Amino acid sequence: MRNAAWTRLLGLALALLFGTLALAEAPALEAPEAGQAKPFGLPFAEPPGPSTWLLGQPFGNTTTAYRWRISTYAAGQGLHFGIDFSARCGTTVVAIGDGEVAKVDAVEHGAGPHNLMITHPNGYASFYGHLYERPRLAPGDQITRGQAVGLTGDPDLTCTSRPHLHLEVRDAGVYRRAFNPVGLIDADWDALSLAGPFGRGFERNLDNPRQWQFLDDQPEVAFGGALLNQYARPWPPDWSGQ
Ligand SMILES: [Zn+2]
């Protein structure tokens, strides 16, 4: 018994030690303060508009993510862990920053039918989902900001149901955290939020109704963590049947 207890204690000590080391090695990855330059650009070269692209579902505590928190978004703590841009199929997607291709069509990241992961020297990674075709790139390819890297598609493969780009910003290398792109991409988000087709609303927790109700105050996602929106008193009501 005594040996087993010591073994457990040693295991715990090692886990704490290595956990602390891993944390110490990870880049801080804090969003810039107000007034500081944001490190990335938009994933489109063209300006927004009804014939190019519009902001769709925001990152975070959206009503859509709440509805599917037990299924589609469970791995991301029940939140929409990217930002959606509505665009007709075939719209050119550009890299949001200089970097290197890390993955092409990685099944573990979903967002089919095709996707792309680019790592950036500042410790972030950008992920482009629901692409129309397999990007003509390979891991190791060097990428410059604004370079065309793919075409937008539709997760339903129809190009008429919900064609859009799903863009994530994650931690490079481990990919276990997802950050709100609004804090990292230089764009006029207030103007972008004035137009757009769907999914604009944020779910309310009536026990804390002002929490996470804006484009720029959404929490970071830790994949595999507990649901952040399992509300006792949600609004709109929980009609997911889950
Ligand atoms: Zn999305």
Side-chain angles (χ1 to χ4, degrees):
M1 282 305 288
R2 209 170 165 155
N3 273 343
W6 275 111
T7 307
R8 272 206 302 276
L9 198 61
L10 183 64
L12 184 65
L14 284 173
L16 280 173
L17 176 66
F18 285 109
T20 308
L21 284 176
L23 278 177
E25 281 171 11
L29 298 181
E30 298 294 333
E33 301 286 321
Q36 277 187 304
K38 295 180 179 180
F40 296 117
L42 283 163
F44 300 102
E46 294 177 287
S51 61
T52 52
W53 59 272
L54 292 167
L55 181 63
Q57 185 185 183
F59 176 98
N61 177 40
T62 63
T63 52
T64 304
Y66 177 78
R67 181 183 170 195
W68 303 108
R69 70 192 180 283
I70 310 292
S71 52
T72 311
Y73 299 105
Q77 301 193 277
L79 305 186
H80 183 226
F81 42 87
I83 193 163
D84 290 343
F85 297 94
S86 304
R88 67 181 64 173
C89 278
T91 302
T92 299
V93 175
V94 304
I96 65 170
D98 294 344
E100 182 178 312
V101 173
K103 304 181 185 188
V104 179
D105 279 359
V107 289
E108 68 271 27
H109 294 303
H114 299 282
N115 65 50
L116 173 70
M117 184 81 80
I118 297 174
T119 55
H120 305 283
N122 57 8
Y124 291 101
S126 54
F127 175 77
Y128 311 78
H130 307 315
L131 298 178
Y132 185 73
E133 60 183 17
R134 183 183 172 92
R136 292 164 197 181
L137 296 163
D141 285 356
Q142 298 301 305
I143 299 293
T144 55
R145 177 170 168 160
Q147 178 180 335
V149 291
L151 301 172
T152 58
D154 178 355
D156 300 330
L157 309 181
T158 66
C159 289
T160 55
S161 69
R162 48 187 182 126
H164 67 278
L165 172 71
H166 169 89
L167 176 78
E168 297 175 15
V169 178
R170 296 206 187 192
D171 54 324
V174 187
Y175 312 111
R176 297 303 294 170
R177 301 160 69 191
F179 306 94
N180 188 352
V182 167
L184 298 165
I185 290 179
D186 185 26
D188 186 349
W189 292 103
D190 289 333
L192 288 176
S193 69
L194 296 176
F198 69 92
R200 182 57 32 77
F202 294 105
E203 187 73 18
R204 259 179 222 278
N205 171 8
L206 293 180
D207 292 320
N208 187 8
R210 297 186 186 194
Q211 186 184 42
W212 305 335
Q213 294 300 307
F214 296 94
L215 273 187
D216 57 0
D217 73 344
Q218 301 299 314
E220 178 185 323
V221 166
F223 289 95
L227 292 180
L228 294 175
N229 52 0
Q230 192 62 344
Y231 301 145
R233 297 202 303 140
W235 187 265
D238 187 3
W239 51 277
S240 63
Q242 294 178 107

